[in-house]
Amino acid sequence: MLDKLKQVEDRYEELCARAEQPDFYADPARAAKLLKEKNELEPIVEAYTALRQSQEDQKEARELLAGEQRDMQDAAELMAGQADAELKALCQEELAGAKKRAAALEQELRVLLLPHDPNDEKNVILEIRPGVGGEESALFAHSLFRMYSLYAAARGWTVELLNYSETELGGIKEADFMICGAGAYSRLKFESGVHR
C-alpha cells in the first residue's frame, strides 16, 4: 500500500508542477482533465502526509521513552522526581494518540484508494410517486421530497424541480426533480423503493 501511496504522491506533485507552467492552459480541455485528476488525488496525498507525520510522532515518542528509561537507569540511586513521571506519562499519551491517528488514517486511505465509479460526480434525477395508500401515501411522499431537499441543502447541492403536482391536503401526486452538485450520484445512486 505504501508503494501505491508514494506513486500517488509523485503523480500529484507532477500535476502541481505542470499546473504552474505558463503554457498549461493553452489546451483548456487537457488542463481541465489534469486539474480534475489533481483534485481527486489531493485528499489521498493529504491523508498520506498526515499518516507519515503520525508515524514520525510515534517514533519520537518511543525515542523519548527509551531515553527517559536510560537516564533513569544511569541515575538509579537518585529518586525519580515528579517531573520525570509527568514526562513519561506525556510521552505515553502522545504515543497512544499517534497510534490511534495512524490506524484511523490507514483505514481512510484504504477507502480513498478504492476504485471510483466514473458517474459518482454526476447529477441525479429523482422521481417520487406515492405508493398504495391514498392520501396518507401522498403525505409520506411529500415528507420524502422535503427530506431529500433538506439533505441536498445540507450538502450544498441545488434542487431543480422538473415536475411537481400536489394533492388537496398537501401531499404529492408526483415529483420529479434533479439534484445538482459534486458527488450527488455517489450518495444517492442506491435510493429506490415503493415511495421513491
Side-chain angles (χ1 to χ4, degrees), residues 86-111:
E86 288 177 5
L87 181 61
K88 184 176 180 181
L90 185 64
C91 288
Q92 288 174 341
E93 184 179 320
E94 177 62 30
L95 181 61
K99 283 181 180 179
K100 192 174 183 180
R101 284 191 306 273
L105 287 166
E106 285 176 6
Q107 182 60 33
E108 180 183 347
L109 282 166
R110 282 189 186 96
V111 171

PDB file of all heavy atoms in Angstrom, residues 86-111:
ATOM      1  N   GLU A  86       5.793  12.781  35.049  1.00  0.00           N
ATOM      2  CA  GLU A  86       4.892  13.534  34.172  1.00  0.00           C
ATOM      3  C   GLU A  86       5.358  13.459  32.719  1.00  0.00           C
ATOM      4  O   GLU A  86       4.547  13.303  31.803  1.00  0.00           O
ATOM      5  CB  GLU A  86       4.808  14.992  34.618  1.00  0.00           C
ATOM      6  CG  GLU A  86       4.028  15.199  35.895  1.00  0.00           C
ATOM      7  CD  GLU A  86       4.030  16.648  36.349  1.00  0.00           C
ATOM      8  OE1 GLU A  86       4.563  17.512  35.629  1.00  0.00           O
ATOM      9  OE2 GLU A  86       3.487  16.899  37.444  1.00  0.00           O
ATOM     10  N   LEU A  87       6.663  13.542  32.501  1.00  0.00           N
ATOM     11  CA  LEU A  87       7.214  13.447  31.146  1.00  0.00           C
ATOM     12  C   LEU A  87       6.942  12.067  30.549  1.00  0.00           C
ATOM     13  O   LEU A  87       6.548  11.950  29.385  1.00  0.00           O
ATOM     14  CB  LEU A  87       8.718  13.736  31.156  1.00  0.00           C
ATOM     15  CG  LEU A  87       9.408  13.696  29.800  1.00  0.00           C
ATOM     16  CD1 LEU A  87       8.817  14.737  28.857  1.00  0.00           C
ATOM     17  CD2 LEU A  87      10.902  13.901  29.954  1.00  0.00           C
ATOM     18  N   LYS A  88       7.127  11.031  31.364  1.00  0.00           N
ATOM     19  CA  LYS A  88       6.868   9.670  30.893  1.00  0.00           C
ATOM     20  C   LYS A  88       5.388   9.493  30.539  1.00  0.00           C
ATOM     21  O   LYS A  88       5.055   8.919  29.496  1.00  0.00           O
ATOM     22  CB  LYS A  88       7.282   8.662  31.956  1.00  0.00           C
ATOM     23  CG  LYS A  88       7.137   7.231  31.512  1.00  0.00           C
ATOM     24  CD  LYS A  88       7.644   6.273  32.559  1.00  0.00           C
ATOM     25  CE  LYS A  88       7.489   4.840  32.074  1.00  0.00           C
ATOM     26  NZ  LYS A  88       7.944   3.871  33.053  1.00  0.00           N
ATOM     27  N   ALA A  89       4.505  10.013  31.379  1.00  0.00           N
ATOM     28  CA  ALA A  89       3.062   9.909  31.110  1.00  0.00           C
ATOM     29  C   ALA A  89       2.696  10.678  29.846  1.00  0.00           C
ATOM     30  O   ALA A  89       1.885  10.210  29.036  1.00  0.00           O
ATOM     31  CB  ALA A  89       2.266  10.424  32.308  1.00  0.00           C
ATOM     32  N   LEU A  90       3.303  11.846  29.669  1.00  0.00           N
ATOM     33  CA  LEU A  90       3.041  12.651  28.477  1.00  0.00           C
ATOM     34  C   LEU A  90       3.514  11.927  27.212  1.00  0.00           C
ATOM     35  O   LEU A  90       2.810  11.905  26.195  1.00  0.00           O
ATOM     36  CB  LEU A  90       3.724  14.015  28.610  1.00  0.00           C
ATOM     37  CG  LEU A  90       3.457  15.024  27.509  1.00  0.00           C
ATOM     38  CD1 LEU A  90       1.988  15.406  27.500  1.00  0.00           C
ATOM     39  CD2 LEU A  90       4.316  16.261  27.701  1.00  0.00           C
ATOM     40  N   CYS A  91       4.683  11.300  27.272  1.00  0.00           N
ATOM     41  CA  CYS A  91       5.201  10.546  26.127  1.00  0.00           C
ATOM     42  C   CYS A  91       4.306   9.355  25.802  1.00  0.00           C
ATOM     43  O   CYS A  91       4.037   9.074  24.635  1.00  0.00           O
ATOM     44  CB  CYS A  91       6.619  10.071  26.405  1.00  0.00           C
ATOM     45  SG  CYS A  91       7.849  11.388  26.377  1.00  0.00           S
ATOM     46  N   GLN A  92       3.853   8.658  26.838  1.00  0.00           N
ATOM     47  CA  GLN A  92       2.977   7.512  26.603  1.00  0.00           C
ATOM     48  C   GLN A  92       1.642   7.954  26.010  1.00  0.00           C
ATOM     49  O   GLN A  92       1.094   7.290  25.128  1.00  0.00           O
ATOM     50  CB  GLN A  92       2.752   6.741  27.909  1.00  0.00           C
ATOM     51  CG  GLN A  92       3.979   5.978  28.355  1.00  0.00           C
ATOM     52  CD  GLN A  92       3.814   5.333  29.717  1.00  0.00           C
ATOM     53  OE1 GLN A  92       2.942   5.718  30.499  1.00  0.00           O
ATOM     54  NE2 GLN A  92       4.666   4.361  30.012  1.00  0.00           N
ATOM     55  N   GLU A  93       1.146   9.087  26.478  1.00  0.00           N
ATOM     56  CA  GLU A  93      -0.105   9.624  25.940  1.00  0.00           C
ATOM     57  C   GLU A  93       0.064  10.030  24.474  1.00  0.00           C
ATOM     58  O   GLU A  93      -0.799   9.741  23.637  1.00  0.00           O
ATOM     59  CB  GLU A  93      -0.544  10.831  26.782  1.00  0.00           C
ATOM     60  CG  GLU A  93      -1.874  11.414  26.379  1.00  0.00           C
ATOM     61  CD  GLU A  93      -2.251  12.593  27.261  1.00  0.00           C
ATOM     62  OE1 GLU A  93      -2.026  12.531  28.476  1.00  0.00           O
ATOM     63  OE2 GLU A  93      -2.771  13.577  26.705  1.00  0.00           O
ATOM     64  N   GLU A  94       1.178  10.660  24.158  1.00  0.00           N
ATOM     65  CA  GLU A  94       1.460  11.053  22.772  1.00  0.00           C
ATOM     66  C   GLU A  94       1.606   9.819  21.881  1.00  0.00           C
ATOM     67  O   GLU A  94       1.097   9.791  20.753  1.00  0.00           O
ATOM     68  CB  GLU A  94       2.732  11.903  22.705  1.00  0.00           C
ATOM     69  CG  GLU A  94       3.151  12.301  21.320  1.00  0.00           C
ATOM     70  CD  GLU A  94       2.138  13.169  20.588  1.00  0.00           C
ATOM     71  OE1 GLU A  94       1.408  13.929  21.241  1.00  0.00           O
ATOM     72  OE2 GLU A  94       2.072  13.062  19.349  1.00  0.00           O
ATOM     73  N   LEU A  95       2.256   8.795  22.375  1.00  0.00           N
ATOM     74  CA  LEU A  95       2.430   7.558  21.611  1.00  0.00           C
ATOM     75  C   LEU A  95       1.080   6.897  21.340  1.00  0.00           C
ATOM     76  O   LEU A  95       0.797   6.486  20.208  1.00  0.00           O
ATOM     77  CB  LEU A  95       3.355   6.603  22.367  1.00  0.00           C
ATOM     78  CG  LEU A  95       3.658   5.266  21.686  1.00  0.00           C
ATOM     79  CD1 LEU A  95       4.357   5.489  20.357  1.00  0.00           C
ATOM     80  CD2 LEU A  95       4.510   4.396  22.597  1.00  0.00           C
ATOM     81  N   ALA A  96       0.235   6.818  22.344  1.00  0.00           N
ATOM     82  CA  ALA A  96      -1.089   6.205  22.173  1.00  0.00           C
ATOM     83  C   ALA A  96      -1.935   7.016  21.185  1.00  0.00           C
ATOM     84  O   ALA A  96      -2.617   6.440  20.328  1.00  0.00           O
ATOM     85  CB  ALA A  96      -1.798   6.096  23.513  1.00  0.00           C
ATOM     86  N   GLY A  97      -1.890   8.336  21.293  1.00  0.00           N
ATOM     87  CA  GLY A  97      -2.648   9.189  20.367  1.00  0.00           C
ATOM     88  C   GLY A  97      -2.161   9.050  18.934  1.00  0.00           C
ATOM     89  O   GLY A  97      -2.960   8.999  18.000  1.00  0.00           O
ATOM     90  N   ALA A  98      -0.844   8.980  18.752  1.00  0.00           N
ATOM     91  CA  ALA A  98      -0.275   8.836  17.410  1.00  0.00           C
ATOM     92  C   ALA A  98      -0.642   7.486  16.804  1.00  0.00           C
ATOM     93  O   ALA A  98      -0.936   7.395  15.616  1.00  0.00           O
ATOM     94  CB  ALA A  98       1.244   9.009  17.462  1.00  0.00           C
ATOM     95  N   LYS A  99      -0.659   6.430  17.626  1.00  0.00           N
ATOM     96  CA  LYS A  99      -1.062   5.103  17.128  1.00  0.00           C
ATOM     97  C   LYS A  99      -2.519   5.115  16.690  1.00  0.00           C
ATOM     98  O   LYS A  99      -2.869   4.555  15.653  1.00  0.00           O
ATOM     99  CB  LYS A  99      -0.869   4.042  18.216  1.00  0.00           C
ATOM    100  CG  LYS A  99       0.557   3.615  18.416  1.00  0.00           C
ATOM    101  CD  LYS A  99       0.653   2.547  19.484  1.00  0.00           C
ATOM    102  CE  LYS A  99       2.070   2.094  19.712  1.00  0.00           C
ATOM    103  NZ  LYS A  99       2.156   1.075  20.763  1.00  0.00           N
ATOM    104  N   LYS A 100      -3.349   5.771  17.478  1.00  0.00           N
ATOM    105  CA  LYS A 100      -4.783   5.837  17.160  1.00  0.00           C
ATOM    106  C   LYS A 100      -5.001   6.621  15.862  1.00  0.00           C
ATOM    107  O   LYS A 100      -5.779   6.208  14.998  1.00  0.00           O
ATOM    108  CB  LYS A 100      -5.533   6.496  18.324  1.00  0.00           C
ATOM    109  CG  LYS A 100      -7.013   6.388  18.262  1.00  0.00           C
ATOM    110  CD  LYS A 100      -7.639   6.942  19.534  1.00  0.00           C
ATOM    111  CE  LYS A 100      -9.133   6.760  19.519  1.00  0.00           C
ATOM    112  NZ  LYS A 100      -9.758   7.280  20.732  1.00  0.00           N
ATOM    113  N   ARG A 101      -4.309   7.759  15.715  1.00  0.00           N
ATOM    114  CA  ARG A 101      -4.419   8.558  14.487  1.00  0.00           C
ATOM    115  C   ARG A 101      -3.939   7.763  13.278  1.00  0.00           C
ATOM    116  O   ARG A 101      -4.555   7.801  12.211  1.00  0.00           O
ATOM    117  CB  ARG A 101      -3.619   9.854  14.607  1.00  0.00           C
ATOM    118  CG  ARG A 101      -4.262  10.930  15.450  1.00  0.00           C
ATOM    119  CD  ARG A 101      -3.559  12.267  15.301  1.00  0.00           C
ATOM    120  NE  ARG A 101      -2.128  12.219  15.558  1.00  0.00           N
ATOM    121  CZ  ARG A 101      -1.551  12.342  16.748  1.00  0.00           C
ATOM    122  NH1 ARG A 101      -2.298  12.531  17.822  1.00  0.00           N
ATOM    123  NH2 ARG A 101      -0.240  12.294  16.876  1.00  0.00           N
ATOM    124  N   ALA A 102      -2.835   7.041  13.431  1.00  0.00           N
ATOM    125  CA  ALA A 102      -2.282   6.257  12.317  1.00  0.00           C
ATOM    126  C   ALA A 102      -3.268   5.174  11.878  1.00  0.00           C
ATOM    127  O   ALA A 102      -3.469   4.965  10.684  1.00  0.00           O
ATOM    128  CB  ALA A 102      -0.951   5.637  12.722  1.00  0.00           C
ATOM    129  N   ALA A 103      -3.906   4.508  12.832  1.00  0.00           N
ATOM    130  CA  ALA A 103      -4.872   3.461  12.479  1.00  0.00           C
ATOM    131  C   ALA A 103      -6.062   4.051  11.726  1.00  0.00           C
ATOM    132  O   ALA A 103      -6.523   3.487  10.725  1.00  0.00           O
ATOM    133  CB  ALA A 103      -5.337   2.737  13.737  1.00  0.00           C
ATOM    134  N   ALA A 104      -6.556   5.197  12.188  1.00  0.00           N
ATOM    135  CA  ALA A 104      -7.689   5.846  11.522  1.00  0.00           C
ATOM    136  C   ALA A 104      -7.300   6.309  10.113  1.00  0.00           C
ATOM    137  O   ALA A 104      -8.078   6.160   9.164  1.00  0.00           O
ATOM    138  CB  ALA A 104      -8.188   7.025  12.352  1.00  0.00           C
ATOM    139  N   LEU A 105      -6.096   6.844   9.969  1.00  0.00           N
ATOM    140  CA  LEU A 105      -5.642   7.313   8.656  1.00  0.00           C
ATOM    141  C   LEU A 105      -5.415   6.147   7.693  1.00  0.00           C
ATOM    142  O   LEU A 105      -5.708   6.262   6.502  1.00  0.00           O
ATOM    143  CB  LEU A 105      -4.362   8.135   8.805  1.00  0.00           C
ATOM    144  CG  LEU A 105      -4.561   9.526   9.403  1.00  0.00           C
ATOM    145  CD1 LEU A 105      -3.233  10.129   9.828  1.00  0.00           C
ATOM    146  CD2 LEU A 105      -5.261  10.433   8.409  1.00  0.00           C
ATOM    147  N   GLU A 106      -4.926   5.022   8.198  1.00  0.00           N
ATOM    148  CA  GLU A 106      -4.744   3.854   7.332  1.00  0.00           C
ATOM    149  C   GLU A 106      -6.095   3.370   6.799  1.00  0.00           C
ATOM    150  O   GLU A 106      -6.218   3.026   5.629  1.00  0.00           O
ATOM    151  CB  GLU A 106      -4.037   2.734   8.093  1.00  0.00           C
ATOM    152  CG  GLU A 106      -2.561   2.974   8.279  1.00  0.00           C
ATOM    153  CD  GLU A 106      -1.889   1.908   9.127  1.00  0.00           C
ATOM    154  OE1 GLU A 106      -2.552   0.904   9.488  1.00  0.00           O
ATOM    155  OE2 GLU A 106      -0.700   2.072   9.430  1.00  0.00           O
ATOM    156  N   GLN A 107      -7.097   3.356   7.667  1.00  0.00           N
ATOM    157  CA  GLN A 107      -8.435   2.952   7.226  1.00  0.00           C
ATOM    158  C   GLN A 107      -8.986   3.941   6.200  1.00  0.00           C
ATOM    159  O   GLN A 107      -9.563   3.547   5.188  1.00  0.00           O
ATOM    160  CB  GLN A 107      -9.380   2.854   8.434  1.00  0.00           C
ATOM    161  CG  GLN A 107     -10.770   2.390   8.088  1.00  0.00           C
ATOM    162  CD  GLN A 107     -10.784   1.002   7.451  1.00  0.00           C
ATOM    163  OE1 GLN A 107      -9.976   0.146   7.757  1.00  0.00           O
ATOM    164  NE2 GLN A 107     -11.716   0.795   6.541  1.00  0.00           N
ATOM    165  N   GLU A 108      -8.797   5.236   6.447  1.00  0.00           N
ATOM    166  CA  GLU A 108      -9.257   6.258   5.500  1.00  0.00           C
ATOM    167  C   GLU A 108      -8.566   6.097   4.152  1.00  0.00           C
ATOM    168  O   GLU A 108      -9.200   6.211   3.094  1.00  0.00           O
ATOM    169  CB  GLU A 108      -8.993   7.647   6.070  1.00  0.00           C
ATOM    170  CG  GLU A 108      -9.441   8.775   5.176  1.00  0.00           C
ATOM    171  CD  GLU A 108      -9.098  10.150   5.725  1.00  0.00           C
ATOM    172  OE1 GLU A 108      -8.734  10.267   6.908  1.00  0.00           O
ATOM    173  OE2 GLU A 108      -9.192  11.115   4.944  1.00  0.00           O
ATOM    174  N   LEU A 109      -7.278   5.802   4.165  1.00  0.00           N
ATOM    175  CA  LEU A 109      -6.537   5.625   2.918  1.00  0.00           C
ATOM    176  C   LEU A 109      -7.004   4.389   2.153  1.00  0.00           C
ATOM    177  O   LEU A 109      -7.066   4.406   0.929  1.00  0.00           O
ATOM    178  CB  LEU A 109      -5.035   5.540   3.198  1.00  0.00           C
ATOM    179  CG  LEU A 109      -4.374   6.883   3.474  1.00  0.00           C
ATOM    180  CD1 LEU A 109      -2.985   6.693   4.062  1.00  0.00           C
ATOM    181  CD2 LEU A 109      -4.310   7.712   2.207  1.00  0.00           C
ATOM    182  N   ARG A 110      -7.353   3.329   2.871  1.00  0.00           N
ATOM    183  CA  ARG A 110      -7.883   2.141   2.188  1.00  0.00           C
ATOM    184  C   ARG A 110      -9.156   2.493   1.424  1.00  0.00           C
ATOM    185  O   ARG A 110      -9.365   2.036   0.306  1.00  0.00           O
ATOM    186  CB  ARG A 110      -8.164   1.032   3.195  1.00  0.00           C
ATOM    187  CG  ARG A 110      -6.940   0.302   3.643  1.00  0.00           C
ATOM    188  CD  ARG A 110      -7.271  -0.928   4.481  1.00  0.00           C
ATOM    189  NE  ARG A 110      -6.076  -1.520   5.008  1.00  0.00           N
ATOM    190  CZ  ARG A 110      -5.593  -1.290   6.222  1.00  0.00           C
ATOM    191  NH1 ARG A 110      -6.228  -0.505   7.052  1.00  0.00           N
ATOM    192  NH2 ARG A 110      -4.483  -1.860   6.615  1.00  0.00           N
ATOM    193  N   VAL A 111     -10.007   3.297   2.047  1.00  0.00           N
ATOM    194  CA  VAL A 111     -11.253   3.710   1.399  1.00  0.00           C
ATOM    195  C   VAL A 111     -10.958   4.636   0.218  1.00  0.00           C
ATOM    196  O   VAL A 111     -11.541   4.497  -0.856  1.00  0.00           O
ATOM    197  CB  VAL A 111     -12.199   4.388   2.413  1.00  0.00           C
ATOM    198  CG1 VAL A 111     -13.391   5.020   1.720  1.00  0.00           C
ATOM    199  CG2 VAL A 111     -12.660   3.387   3.462  1.00  0.00           C
TER     200      VAL A 111
END
